[in-house]
Amino acid sequence: MTTAVHPVPVPPATAAGGLPLAGHLLAILRDPLTFFQKQHAVGTEGVVKLRLGPKPVHLVTRADLVRRLLADPVAFDKGGAFIDSAKALVGNAVGTCPTVDHRTQRPMLQPAFHHRRIVEYSRVMQRCAAALAGSWQDGQYVELVDVLHRLAARVAARTLFSGPGAAHAAEEIQRHFPAMLAGLHRRMFIPVDWVHRAPVPVNAAFDAALHGIQRTVEGEIRAYRAEEAGGADRGDLLSAMMRARDPYTGVRLTDAELKDQVISMLMGAIETTGSTAAWLLHHLAGEPQAEETVLAELRRAVGERGVRAEDLRGMGALKQCLTEVLRLYPPFWLLSRVATRPVELGGYLVPAGADVLFSPYCLQRDPGVFADPDRFDPWRWDPDRVTPAQKESQLPFGTGSRKCLGDVFGATEISLIVATVLQRWQIGPATGLRVVPVVKGTMRPSLMPMVVRRREEAYAR
Ligand code: HEM
């Protein structure tokens, strides 16, 4: 990056919340979303320095600068607290590795996400969604967040593995995933090793969950290797990853590397899709006009049969609703990089070794870019209304060389689940409980107690 002017040191954050010794840490722990939104409201310079301990931490508050930093993965490499704690679990996988390794890892895994493969995975997604929608009774109470996280775990396991052990693997992953994720969140917020090794029940639960998932994944890899001699490609994610070759050396992933990639895939795929599907159903349940528009589209494009991935192309309203919930609730609400050398950004000098943070959540709720930013308004994405500034600020999947590898996979899965549920069920709140975003590492919804009512007649209208 070059600039005509000499970069100046990054100014300290001016928004309230800093304490003499603890810096901004307490304010962040108390209410992270409000803290970062306040910094954005006053941080119009584009980069501000936070006080979070001995290491300098810089927050980038302008979308154009975030896009610039994401376009330079050499100067701004992967790193930061979340990546460090994820690395302790999955090692050097595609989502956690530094740029130098990413140049080989990403092309190796890319074919597993080719359009043809997604069509095959979509059949699994469809079956899982239909099984869920078929399992409910009229008037049943469901806690939507838990149900959809479980469904997402099932979809992830069933798209990864389709061999004879797939059903067992899916059950194991569904069973162990919540405790593993809770442990990961704790590690991210409390980066003190001995705390996580202390012999207390939460650590024991985490260890058991991690080992359970590792055992399951290792078992599946062994079984696939045993039949690999016959050249079988099951059309699933694991088959695709096993066939992957280093673009430079032609070497394949070892079993240990495969295990890390699979677990990191599970971590990236389950909570994100489950939470987003829950938010989308929640908003449609509360917005009759948006729900009716999506239903009308569904009746036209699909009718009474099951929804297929091909149908989604003709479902612009559903796509806009999905874009809007990803704007309001990006699961990765805060992302980080590490400056590998002194580097200029927006006229400021970011020193080597600095952690650099940016928040898709805050950028996507910028009142200067999105009118009435906290309101669910899918029609702001109408092709004749959407503005270049909105497009620039919308970053739920990131951008650049580290952009989400599963963006199409995830969008297809969420859309199929939501469309399949909507066809059959009308969902309404079971209590007056307000649903709010909860930050536990990633951002997810609080509990969603709902009642489901059979829709056949309304849908047939
Ligand atoms: C709503 C759904 C999802 C959202 C919002 C989401 C978001 C993201 C974001 C923001 C990143 C980039 C992080 C960064 O720049 O530091 C990312 C990376 C990644 N995601 Fe997703 N994700 C979703 C679903 C999925 C799914 C379903 C999979 C896999 C099946 C997946 C696999 C990955 C992988 C492997 C990476 C690392 C890419 C790389 O570094 O090259 N994601 N995701």
Side-chain angles (χ1 to χ4, degrees), residues 66-77:
V66 169
R67 285 186 176 268
R68 270 183 58 197
L69 87 88
L70 291 176
D72 190 349
V74 174
F76 296 103
D77 209 336

Side-chain angles (χ1 to χ4, degrees), residues 13-289:
T14 50
L19 295 173
L21 283 176
H24 295 108
L25 192 60
L26 286 183
I28 291 179
L29 289 176
R30 217 174 16 242
D31 185 352
L33 296 178
T34 305
F35 173 83
F36 281 99
Q37 277 194 302
K38 275 187 188 158
Q39 301 303 337
H40 267 250
V42 296
T44 43
E45 303 91 346
V47 192
V48 292
K49 190 153 62 178
L50 304 178
R51 286 186 291 123
L52 292 176
K55 216 175 168 196
V57 177
H58 294 76
L59 174 69
V60 183
T61 56
R62 262 179 29 208
D64 60 324
L65 297 183
V66 169
R67 285 186 176 268
R68 270 183 58 197
L69 87 88
L70 291 176
D72 190 349
V74 174
F76 296 103
D77 209 336
K78 264 269 156 125
F82 186 81
I83 296 299
D84 293 345
S85 40
K87 246 184 167 157
L89 304 188
V90 300
N92 210 33
V94 64
T96 53
C97 68
T99 300
V100 60
D101 298 331
H102 191 252
R103 292 199 183 110
T104 51
Q105 291 204 22
R106 175 103 180 186
M108 281 180 95
L109 296 177
Q110 198 92 50
F113 292 88
H114 189 277
H115 176 70
R116 265 198 329 273
R117 289 258 169 197
I118 305 266
V119 171
E120 297 194 31
Y121 309 148
S122 73
R123 300 199 182 102
V124 178
M125 298 166 183
Q126 237 175 298
R127 276 200 300 277
C128 293
L132 176 75
S135 72
W136 288 341
Q137 307 293 319
D138 198 21
Q140 184 178 331
Y141 166 90
V142 290
E143 198 288 287
L144 210 51
V145 179
D146 180 55
V147 164
L148 292 177
H149 280 155
R150 281 170 188 281
L151 179 65
R154 192 172 180 74
V155 169
R158 289 297 192 131
T159 45
L160 268 163
F161 316 122
S162 61
H168 175 69
E171 269 164 35
E172 286 296 285
I173 287 168
Q174 266 175 275
R175 188 156 75 87
H176 291 303
F177 194 75
M180 188 182 92
L181 203 62
L184 176 67
H185 292 161
R186 278 194 304 277
R187 276 156 181 73
M188 187 190 153
F189 273 107
I190 314 169
V192 184
D193 209 31
W194 66 263
V195 173
H196 307 297
R197 280 189 279 116
V200 290
V202 284
N203 288 341
F206 171 74
D207 289 342
L210 180 60
H211 292 145
I213 289 188
Q214 284 173 336
R215 256 196 327 272
T216 305
V217 174
E218 282 162 356
E220 285 298 297
I221 292 172
R222 264 198 310 278
Y224 274 58
R225 283 277 188 235
E227 58 175 42
E228 203 192 16
D233 178 357
R234 293 187 167 277
D236 55 27
L237 259 172
L238 181 57
S239 291
M241 292 203 240
M242 286 179 87
R243 304 172 100 71
R245 285 184 187 278
D246 183 309
Y248 303 106
T249 63
V251 172
R252 291 190 185 193
L253 292 167
T254 64
D255 286 7
E257 287 166 342
L258 264 177
K259 183 189 73 184
D260 286 350
Q261 299 291 4
V262 167
I263 295 180
S264 76
M265 229 35 104
L266 290 171
M267 277 172 27
I270 297 178
E271 212 197 359
T272 50
T273 49
S275 296
T276 308
W279 281 120
L280 186 43
L281 282 169
H282 165 78
H283 273 289
L284 291 177
E287 307 270 343
Q289 187 259 340

